[in-house]
Amino acid sequence: MASTPSPHTTHLHSLISSSTNHNKPSNPSSFKLIHSFSTSFSSTISNVLKTADISLSRDLNGVVSTPKPTILVSEKLGEAGLDLLRSFADVDCSYDLSPQDLCAKISLCDALIVRSGTKVTREVFVAAQGRIKVVGRAGVGIDNVDLQAATEFGCLVVNAPTANTIAAAEHGIALLTSMARNVAQADASMKAGKWLRSKYVGVSLVGKTLAVMGFGKVGSEVARRAKGLGMHVIAHDPYAPADRARAIGVDLVSFEQAIGTADFISLHMPLTPATNKVFNDDTFAKMKKGVRLINVARGGVIDEDALVRALDSGIVAQAALDVFTVEPPPKDSKLVQHENVTVTPHLGASTKEAQEGVAIEIAEAVVGALNGELSATAVNAPMVPPEVLFELAPYVVLAEKLGRLAVQLVTGGSGIQSVKVIYKSARDPDSLDTRLLRAMVTKGIIEPISDTIINLVNADFSAKQKGLRISEERIIVDSSPEYPVESIQVQICNVQSKFASALLENGDISIEGKVKYGIPHLTRVGPFSVDVSLEGNLILCKQVDQPGMIGKVGNILGESNVNVSFMSVGRTVKRKHAIMAIGVDEEPDKDTQKKIGEVSAVEEFVFLKL
Ligand SMILES: NC(=O)C1=CN([C@@H]2O[C@H](COP(=O)(O)OP(=O)(O)OC[C@H]3O[C@@H](n4cnc5c(N)ncnc54)[C@H](O)[C@@H]3O)[C@@H](O)[C@H]2O)C=CC1
Ligand SMILES: O=C(O)C(=O)COP(=O)(O)O
């Protein structure tokens, strides 16, 4: 019999640093039902991805190698980022691709890096035929990426949210000050040979009220700088913490109050369905006459036709715009041509420093994601901070294996509709993040019965699509909270099992596992306690509890050269029935399986692939 197996090597394990964490036994009698909830979460950031499916190739000497992934960069990216990408992948810099050309190329790429100019539509994901694993947005706004489609296709989307904040804020201030003093118009007129001193009398900023709409990273930096210019700054942001505003000396106010009292309004919110054309005829009508507007956020938050009307009527005295609904805007755009409008071609993030910064930030995120690592900047996957992930790493493997095992116990043709995952833990429910574990149970259940690749990005979506309800329960146990999870139990409800001993009294298939010394173990099958390392393959065998059974089955396997790696026997009542869980390295052939079935005291058995 082989000794204790080596650390697990599933792709998931390679995604997350391995840990030597192990559980201590606990007192099951002190379990208390704490919390029950069903699948649905929306917060996004971190990710566990399936590693890119990069097939192996051989060189002329027959040495097997993994080909480099291919990364398509469809817009100009800083050299430092490109260097980083090139050290890891084949990098195809193809700028100004038409939508058709992008679709034609994408199925050859493992990752795509874009800025704001590339529309990553559903068609792109369809054309990728499952190859693309990551879309990296070298900047903040991800409104040019179809996140829903990315999620459905299990493609991670990451952005570079911090490196261009200062650049965007500085550009906002540049637009604010140059607009107030007509710098662009005066410059153009001088270059046209004029000297118009009285035409370009400006307005002062000191003492004026600036409303910052969207008090996030850029908005708060704009506010800080405007305070330095002596402006009175107010802000509107339904989600911003008041203490952050207070710390900068900014009052958070309602939308109406902000737009109704401001002399200058600077836009810094993302483009979402809720902010789309939020500045329109109605809202312009509520503004102070002669207000000045700055937009370095997204063109789509303004109804541009309404802005032209507001400029013509004098409600808006001036506007300074870096972003447009359609980029580039049509050459005859009334807005761009308006004499009271200052425009720049989406230059907010365009400083050398910001471009180098976002390039490095996105290159690191994309390379990390292709390596299967977590990304702190994922926008369509739940956030699991790296330290939590590190701690959960062995449980992630356990969760997937339990799912994979449980689904194989279901009789073919029984539709699985409801799965319950029960976590026993000494931790307070609020300090145990189970989203990753749930995703991995889902992966284990769905992947063997479908052609969908499941990862943290699409696990919930895929479960929903397949009509599978994954509910979770947490049970608090009286043991050390040092370890995040004591055990994970997977129950498949209302199905028939090909191994009746895995059924609980209520008819649900139930298996439970623990992590011991960093290795996932199966510890319970239906009502039977077992203890077998979840590696290789598994034979579950129910027999009459009598001497000699281990030897009989072991001999049959040995004769067929099937190596037993682990073995455990569990029973409910002495000398009645027992379950033998046998870990095997090889799959026993049909004849061997038949022989096991023919051992007189064996009542049922099943072979399971892990
Ligand atoms: N012009 C350019 O080159 C650049 C443009 N941007 C754009 O600037 C915007 C802000 O970027 P960051 O500050 O980095 O993002 P952020 O996420 O840090 O801040 C956005 C803020 O908007 C708030 N918000 C959301 N909905 C809102 C609503 N209905 N009303 C008011 N506030 C709302 C959020 O709570 C958040 O605090 C984004 O649209 C981004 O794409 C960012 C960098 C460069
Ligand atoms: O980061 C953002 O949201 C920006 O708008 C910057 O866009 P860009 O990368 O310069 O096309």
Side-chain angles (χ1 to χ4, degrees):
M1 199 182 292
S3 58
T4 307
S6 58
H8 16 257
T9 52
T10 67
H11 67 263
L12 266 173
H13 205 98
S14 71
L15 304 180
I16 310 157
S17 318
S18 132
S19 150
T20 52
N21 215 350
H22 63 275
N23 273 345
K24 287 178 185 160
S26 70
N27 174 10
S29 61
S30 61
F31 296 162
K32 194 172 95 196
L33 187 64
I34 281 285
H35 193 43
S36 171
F37 55 97
S38 66
T39 83
S40 116
F41 58 81
S42 57
S43 69
T44 59
I45 295 186
S46 277
N47 160 68
V48 171
L49 276 179
K50 181 171 166 52
T51 324
D53 283 326
I54 300 160
S55 48
L56 299 176
S57 64
R58 283 174 196 278
D59 67 14
L60 292 175
N61 300 320
V63 176
V64 177
S65 63
T66 309
K68 283 179 166 182
T70 299
I71 300 176
L72 174 60
V73 179
S74 69
E75 288 176 76
K76 184 129 182 47
L77 197 67
E79 275 307 315
L82 287 174
D83 287 347
L84 209 154
L85 294 174
R86 286 188 188 115
S87 68
F88 170 79
D90 290 327
V91 180
D92 173 358
C93 292
S94 295
Y95 306 148
D96 301 319
L97 290 172
S98 68
Q100 294 74 18
D101 291 343
L102 176 59
C103 285
K105 264 182 181 287
I106 200 71
S107 65
L108 305 172
C109 303
D110 302 288
L112 167 67
I113 296 185
V114 302
R115 288 178 57 187
S116 60
T118 307
K119 305 282 172 256
V120 191
T121 57
R122 179 172 290 273
E123 288 69 43
V124 175
F125 292 106
V126 171
Q129 296 172 25
R131 171 138 177 199
I132 190 157
K133 302 291 180 295
V134 195
V135 172
R137 180 357 183 165
V140 183
I142 29 86
D143 45 284
N144 52 322
V145 180
D146 186 333
L147 281 186
Q148 179 60 32
T151 304
E152 287 176 27
F153 284 84
C155 178
L156 181 73
V157 180
V158 288
N159 70 350
T162 58
N164 68 20
T165 300
I166 298 299
E170 287 178 350
H171 197 62
I173 294 292
L175 289 179
L176 168 78
T177 51
S178 58
M179 171 175 65
R181 301 306 293 270
N182 303 303
V183 173
Q185 290 83 348
D187 175 75
S189 77
M190 263 191 83
K191 287 189 169 119
K194 296 176 189 160
W195 185 256
L196 301 172
R197 296 187 65 212
S198 57
K199 182 168 181 191
Y200 294 123
V201 172
V203 291
S204 185
L205 300 176
V206 71
K208 297 283 166 54
T209 297
L210 169 71
V212 171
M213 310 300 283
F215 196 69
K217 293 183 292 295
V218 179
S220 46
E221 290 300 332
V222 165
R224 210 189 293 276
R225 282 157 180 72
K227 294 279 290 179
L229 296 171
M231 300 187 83
H232 169 58
V233 184
I234 55 175
H236 169 71
D237 187 325
Y239 315 107
D243 53 349
R244 180 146 54 86
R246 249 195 318 272
I248 303 180
V250 169
D251 292 330
L252 278 180
V253 298
S254 69
F255 182 85
E256 265 70 24
Q257 213 178 333
I259 64 167
T261 54
D263 304 298
F264 292 81
I265 299 177
S266 193
L267 311 186
H268 302 289
M269 69 259 276
L271 176 60
T272 64
T275 60
N276 188 32
K277 293 193 179 163
V278 72
F279 298 95
N280 50 41
D281 286 317
D282 287 348
T283 44
F284 285 128
K286 292 177 185 162
M287 291 179 188
K288 213 163 144 180
K289 193 161 166 65
V291 67
R292 289 175 165 80
L293 193 69
I294 302 110
N295 188 7
V296 282
R298 281 294 176 267
V301 301
I302 297 178
D303 176 341
E304 291 177 339
D305 294 336
L307 177 55
V308 172
R309 288 190 283 276
L311 283 157
D312 287 343
S313 70
I315 293 178
V316 175
Q318 288 182 299
L321 310 172
D322 183 47
V323 283
F324 305 88
T325 306
V326 176
E327 294 185 356
K331 287 207 168 62
D332 60 351
S333 158
K334 281 190 185 156
L335 190 59
V336 174
Q337 300 302 333
H338 203 287
E339 62 168 342
N340 295 336
V341 174
T342 303
V343 286
T344 51
H346 202 147
L347 292 180
S350 295
T351 61
K352 279 185 186 156
E353 296 83 354
Q355 281 315 305
E356 285 301 295
V358 289
I360 294 170
E361 200 177 356
I362 205 62
E364 284 175 347
V366 167
V367 168
L370 283 176
N371 276 331
E373 289 162 12
L374 275 185
S375 165
T377 62
V379 290
N380 64 339
M383 164 155 177
V384 184
E387 60 281 8
V388 174
L389 193 93
F390 181 80
E391 192 180 40
L392 286 181
Y395 304 91
V396 162
V397 181
L398 172 67
E400 183 182 354
K401 293 209 170 189
L402 289 174
R404 199 168 284 275
L405 218 150
V407 76
Q408 292 177 70
L409 292 170
V410 177
T411 306
S414 300
I416 306 173
Q417 286 180 338
S418 176
V419 173
K420 193 192 275 184
V421 189
I422 303 171
Y423 311 96
K424 287 173 188 158
S425 167
R427 294 255 175 105
D428 182 273
D430 289 342
S431 56
L432 177 65
D433 186 342
T434 59
R435 292 170 300 181
L436 184 54
L437 301 176
R438 183 178 71 224
M440 291 304 116
V441 170
T442 309
K443 178 180 176 70
I445 289 174
I446 294 181
E447 278 190 352
I449 53 173
S450 84
D451 55 2
T452 317
I453 300 294
I454 307 294
N455 58 25
L456 191 54
V457 175
N458 65 356
D460 276 0
F461 173 82
S462 302
K464 214 168 166 190
Q465 283 289 98
K466 295 191 183 312
L468 185 64
R469 183 177 179 275
I470 315 267
S471 63
E472 294 173 290
E473 269 184 32
R474 286 187 228 182
I475 296 177
I476 225 173
V477 293
D478 187 15
S479 68
S480 164
E482 190 186 340
Y483 305 110
V485 182
E486 167 78 29
S487 70
I488 302 174
Q489 186 180 357
V490 175
Q491 295 183 358
I492 302 188
C493 315
N494 302 320
V495 283
Q496 289 175 347
S497 177
K498 56 172 83 144
F499 188 68
S501 313
L503 295 172
L504 295 178
E505 269 180 10
N506 65 5
D508 293 346
I509 290 176
S510 171
I511 55 170
E512 187 174 306
K514 292 184 177 186
V515 170
K516 296 186 173 186
Y517 302 99
I519 310 266
H521 279 232
L522 179 68
T523 53
R524 191 166 274 270
V525 175
F528 296 92
S529 290
V530 292
D531 190 0
V532 59
S533 153
L534 282 173
E535 283 176 307
N537 303 309
L538 192 66
I539 293 172
L540 291 178
C541 193
K542 186 196 180 190
Q543 76 253 359
V544 177
D545 184 24
Q546 62 183 40
M549 291 305 293
I550 295 177
K552 274 186 194 162
V553 176
N555 274 346
I556 295 171
L557 291 169
E559 279 161 16
S560 306
N561 206 21
V562 175
N563 194 40
V564 173
S565 59
F566 231 92
M567 135 98 66
S568 152
V569 179
R571 60 191 177 189
T572 44
V573 184
K574 205 171 164 184
R575 294 267 172 180
K576 276 203 137 180
H577 297 290
I579 275 201
M580 201 157 38
I582 309 167
V584 286
D585 292 337
E586 295 83 20
E587 176 170 355
D589 60 26
K590 291 267 172 301
D591 265 4
T592 310
Q593 295 194 31
K594 193 163 167 265
K595 279 184 199 162
I596 296 173
E598 283 166 1
V599 174
S600 59
V602 168
E603 295 176 356
E604 59 171 348
F605 86 99
V606 65
F607 171 75
L608 306 164
K609 288 186 181 173
L610 290 173

